[in-house]
Amino acid sequence: MGIVNVTPDSFSDGGRNFEASDACGHASRLLAEGAAIVDVGGESTRPFAEQVGQDEELRRVVPVIRGILERHPDAVVSVDTYKAEVARQALEAGAAIVNDVSACAFEPALLDVVASHKPGYVLMHSLGKPGTMQVDPRYSDVLSEVRTFFERGIRMLTGAGLPENRIVLDPGIGFGKTLEHNLTLLRGLGTFLDLGRPLLMGLSNKSFLGKLLGLEVHERGPATQVASALAQLAGARIHRVHQAAQAVQALTLAEAMRP
């Protein structure tokens, strides 16, 4: 899953693809490099990010989704949003997946949109909203609590009418977690496999790599590829990344070396 941030303030590439034409061009490059999905987002969800209004988010993402599909009619496009109306218009513009950091908690109407359109849906764990999630996050048992969250989320989504085979699980690395929380989740990915849904990992250039290895954002590419390959061997199946070509190489090598 290649990242297309149509934002001025994303932590890794904010502003780089803020214009629709640049964002579409970036999506084309990601697809050419082997991305199976392109994930278009119009609001940064980095820690302490400011919220973007609905109209502005629509202005950012809908033309990009349409532009990508005009260039690549067979592309699989995901929309990274927690807003019900943004998701609805994105799906009507041709997006096939909703990548939601909120699990329908920020705007409950999103559950109705998802149940009605039945897209792919990324159920992600987060502790609070982006503006506050990194203020002293605490868990009694992070693995157990995230698993319980997934179980409840699957019941909520299927109860609303979304087929279970549309759901992907994302433990939300960096979303309301300390370094140790993140590492505990990465060590324990097998805890989630018997839930029967694919795991998506968003490790690309994340701050836990910087804290663990002393790397600035622009230096985290190789560590991202290693972490993604290790997550693949631990059971992850979708990887949300900034650098598609390098990720494809790392994941291909991981599969070739799988015991």
Side-chain angles (χ1 to χ4, degrees), residues 3 49 60 148 255:
I3 298 169
R60 293 178 183 183
T148 298
E255 284 300 328

Side-chain angles (χ1 to χ4, degrees), residues 69-80:
L69 292 170
E70 286 173 3
R71 298 185 186 192
H72 309 280
D74 296 328
V76 179
V77 179
S78 169
V79 60
D80 182 358

